[in-house]
Amino acid sequence: ALWKAAQEALEKSEAHCGRLQADLDAARKELQRLGQDAESHRQDKLTSAREELRVLKDRLELIEIERQRESESSEEKLRKASQRVTDLIQAKGVAEGRAEQLATEANSARAAAMSAQEMLRKSEAACSEAR
């Protein structure tokens, strides 16, 4: 009877160990599945982060290109404005020279007119005396 009770206890213990082993195997499989899911999720997040980083780098590059264009455009505008100022200074010099020349010609014409007027007055005086 003692032997039979020990045998039954042993069988129950082995059955219990079998159930525990099955539970352990199921837990291992679940843990492995969870690990795979976590790794897959991590890889997805990493891929997404890399893509987002690539997009941000592309945007930064476009912003830098636009900034350079604006800088070049500003430099070109400044160069053109500087050339325009130079052109205007030269035109002013030419205009001042021409104005001086015209003033000289006007003075000469005025002197000639005054001389002609004086000659006319003398001619009129001589005509009056001759009458």
Side-chain angles (χ1 to χ4, degrees):
L2 190 57
W3 177 252
K4 191 173 184 176
Q7 186 110 18
E8 285 177 15
L10 181 61
E11 286 174 7
K12 284 182 182 179
S13 179
E14 285 176 351
H16 184 65
C17 281
R19 284 191 303 276
L20 288 175
Q21 186 63 43
D23 288 347
L24 183 60
D25 289 344
R28 278 188 186 133
K29 283 182 182 177
E30 181 65 14
L31 185 59
Q32 185 179 12
R33 186 190 65 76
L34 289 173
Q36 288 171 346
D37 287 352
E39 179 61 19
S40 176
H41 183 70
R42 186 187 76 79
Q43 287 293 331
D44 289 347
K45 287 292 186 182
L46 186 58
T47 300
S48 176
R50 284 182 181 146
E51 178 62 20
E52 191 173 334
L53 181 60
R54 186 192 63 76
V55 167
L56 290 174
K57 283 181 179 178
D58 289 349
R59 283 185 187 164
L60 183 60
E61 187 176 327
L62 288 174
I63 289 169
E64 181 62 22
I65 288 169
E66 185 61 28
R67 187 195 63 76
Q68 285 177 346
R69 279 187 195 148
E70 288 174 0
S71 175
E72 289 169 0
S73 175
S74 294
E75 289 172 6
E76 181 64 18
K77 287 177 184 175
L78 182 60
R79 187 192 65 72
K80 285 180 180 178
S82 177
Q83 183 61 47
R84 181 74 178 134
V85 167
T86 301
D87 293 347
L88 288 172
I89 289 170
Q90 288 175 347
K92 178 186 173 217
V94 168
E96 286 173 345
R98 181 70 180 137
E100 234 178 84
Q101 181 183 358
L102 290 173
T104 302
E105 289 174 7
N107 287 338
S108 294
R110 188 178 307 121
M114 289 174 78
S115 176
Q117 204 172 24
E118 181 62 27
M119 288 172 79
L120 180 63
R121 189 185 61 74
K122 285 182 181 180
S123 291
E124 286 175 349
C127 282
S128 284
E129 264 184 46
R131 281 189 211 153

